[in-house]
């Protein structure tokens, strides 16, 4: 049976520990709200904020967060980066640029894979995101164990704060959920069984034979083979097969009407 | 030698064919501009637009797109979905909800992996994105070969148009680029060789011996072993090793000063 992976499916596990996302000196309330939405879109809800430029609480953040406002209510407020990271066992810093410090640089994918492993072993993981305009300073980055750099177009590296949070949260979700890469929505039907497709093939072959379709005689055998191959190649549902039968029956009625 | 994967690195190949992103009946110009930015962030630049609500060109789209304005200048404008998809060999439709039609449903990852394969074989791929409020209609979706559904939090499925474009473009980039999952920025230095770490260990052991660190005598051997193990476990650069030598030399001078 096909597995349901639609948004309505219960395979999105929101229990269990997740990384803490730490917004360092964010400037605009709207972006804090946008970051909260991006986190919650992928089931992350632990936000910390270091020294927001426009103070706290922020009405603009609340307005922007809408359905993710709980993250702002529960967000931890800190004066400094070390305070915000004190209980973390492993810390990532997201940076867009080269840094003149020696540090591992990971893709978002590898970083969240690593985060999953640390958290599975009982560790706490923090991910720092810098202020909108300038990003994290070296003084912030030295507190991180590793960097995350998004593989972005060097001609247009313009990710904003919420987008960077979104991609990181998406990768966390990818690394920790059992995402089924491909299913087929069955819309209330099921695949046709082999015998059903065979019988449909018989129906078509018999009727087309009467209609004089397999002509000239010398080509009839290969035409029949090609037709059978066409049916078996098509991923048909029981409903499709019924419809195919109905079409052919109707063509016969039409002919019989004269 | 470590490989440079920073945004400045030349490993971002912008040549070669890419999927066409088709915005179907987009409502707000800002979102068309945001979609253009999201595409170009990951090196995609082929946009088509079907029947935009507020007409075309859109000043709001241009203002929002800023550095990605070229995509809007070059965007194809179409009246209907079939017109926009006419030259495509394979079409994806991004949908957030269950659909009552039978169709393969892929994760963004699998979908872009599939797109890569089709394009590598000379095919043209289109990806449809629906209007902001309601998403694609079934009448649009039937023109697609497969659906893309982002594995989003069912309690908060609030991705906007530009975010959906961003995640799909990111996956295209992930599937088609040689992204090195992890490197270390070396900041002008290189890893310390084994012999350098050994000699540093000798320096520390000798000096600490004189300083009476390995006490009591019965524990000295295991203390030395632990210290050697500490050094070998640390990923130290040549610069780190020099600094460690310098620290110890300075402690000796301090002591000798009396």
């Amino acid at each position: 049976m096909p597995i349901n992976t639609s948004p309505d499916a219960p395979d999105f596990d929101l229990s269990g520990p997740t990384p803490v996302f730490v917004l360092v000196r964010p400037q605009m309330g709207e972006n804090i709200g946008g970051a909260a939405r991006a986190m919650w879109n992928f089931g992350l809800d632990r936000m910390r904020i270091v020294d927001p430029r426009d103070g706290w609480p922020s009405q603009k953040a609340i307005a922007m967060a809408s359905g993710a406002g709980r993250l702002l209510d529960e967000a931890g407020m800190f004066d400094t980066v070390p305070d915000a990271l004190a209980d973390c066992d492993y810390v990532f810093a997201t940076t867009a640029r080269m840094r003149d410090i020696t540090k591992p640089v990971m893709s978002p994918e590898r970083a969240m894979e690593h985060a999953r492993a640390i958290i599975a072993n009982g560790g706490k993981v923090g991910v720092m995101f810098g202020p909108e305009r300038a990003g994290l300073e070296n003084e912030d980055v030295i507190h991180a164990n590793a960097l995350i750099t998004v593989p972005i177009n060097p001609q247009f590296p313009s990710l904003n704060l919420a987008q960077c949070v979104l991609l990181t949260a998406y990768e966390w979700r990818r690394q920790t959920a059992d995402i089924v890469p491909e299913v087929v929505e069955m819309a209330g039907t099921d695949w046709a069984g082999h015998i059903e497709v065979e019988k449909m093939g018989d129906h078509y072959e018999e009727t087309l034979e009467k209609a004089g379709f397999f002509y000239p005689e010398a080509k009839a055998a290969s035409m029949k083979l090609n037709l059978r191959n066409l049916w078996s190649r098509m991923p048909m549902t029981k409903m499709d097969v019924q419809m195919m039968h109905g079409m052919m029956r109707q063509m016969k009625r039409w002919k019989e009407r004269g």
Side-chain angles (χ1 to χ4, degrees), chain A:
Chain A
M1 289 298 293
I3 299 161
N4 185 341
T5 54
S6 82
D8 306 319
D11 70 334
F12 199 108
D13 185 6
L14 291 170
S15 66
T18 56
V20 179
F21 277 18
V22 182
L23 308 189
V24 178
R25 299 184 302 280
Q27 299 178 306
M28 295 173 65
E30 294 89 329
N31 294 330
I32 303 172
R37 292 176 66 91
M39 287 175 64
W40 190 225
N41 269 325
F42 291 105
L44 290 162
D45 61 359
R46 301 176 64 210
M47 178 185 272
R48 291 179 183 176
I49 306 174
V50 177
D51 189 21
R53 186 189 65 183
D54 297 338
W56 197 257
S58 159
Q59 286 309 313
K60 286 179 178 170
I62 293 166
M64 184 64 167
S66 60
R70 177 174 68 80
L71 276 69
L72 302 181
D73 299 338
E74 297 172 0
M77 297 300 300
F78 297 86
D79 290 332
T80 70
V81 164
D83 287 349
L85 302 175
D87 63 345
C88 292
D89 299 295
Y90 198 95
V91 174
F92 294 99
T94 55
T95 66
R97 300 196 309 271
M98 286 278 287
R99 296 284 164 182
D100 49 354
I101 52 177
T102 297
K103 196 78 87 178
V105 181
M106 302 187 190
S107 67
E109 177 179 18
R110 170 63 66 94
M112 291 301 100
E113 193 180 288
H114 195 47
R116 178 185 59 174
I118 295 163
I119 288 174
N121 282 300
K124 276 199 181 185
V125 171
V127 184
M128 284 194 280
F129 297 86
E132 292 90 328
R133 187 171 296 268
L136 293 169
E137 302 290 334
N138 279 5
E139 288 68 34
D140 308 314
V141 169
I142 49 159
H143 298 292
N145 299 86
L147 308 183
I148 301 176
T149 295
V150 175
I152 204 161
N153 181 355
Q155 294 185 22
F156 191 63
S158 81
L159 283 190
N160 66 32
L161 175 58
Q163 287 174 320
C164 190
V165 168
L166 184 81
L167 289 174
T168 311
Y170 168 76
E171 280 292 358
W172 166 258
R173 166 77 180 139
R174 273 209 330 117
Q175 298 304 321
T176 52
D178 291 328
I179 297 169
V180 180
E182 184 173 348
V183 294
V184 176
E185 295 283 8
M186 293 308 287
T189 181
D190 205 346
W191 294 119
H194 187 73
I195 185 70
E196 291 165 300
V197 178
E198 277 295 302
K199 286 188 174 168
M200 190 199 83
D202 295 343
H203 181 186
Y204 269 68
E205 195 173 297
E206 285 162 24
T207 315
L208 289 167
E209 184 93 70
K210 287 180 198 160
F213 175 75
F214 300 109
Y215 182 86
E217 182 67 34
K219 293 205 175 166
S222 78
M223 287 173 82
K224 286 176 187 174
L225 208 70
N226 287 341
L227 193 62
R228 290 282 175 173
N229 192 41
L230 169 63
W231 303 137
S232 66
R233 206 172 57 235
M234 288 174 73
M236 279 192 287
T237 64
K238 291 182 190 300
M239 262 169 53
D240 294 334
V241 169
Q242 289 311 313
M243 193 163 57
M244 294 293 291
H245 278 297
M247 284 162 57
M248 191 47 103
R249 275 196 300 267
Q250 187 58 30
M251 294 307 287
K252 281 193 280 187
R253 276 188 216 111
W254 191 45
K255 147 81 181 158
E256 285 158 10
R257 242 181 258 151

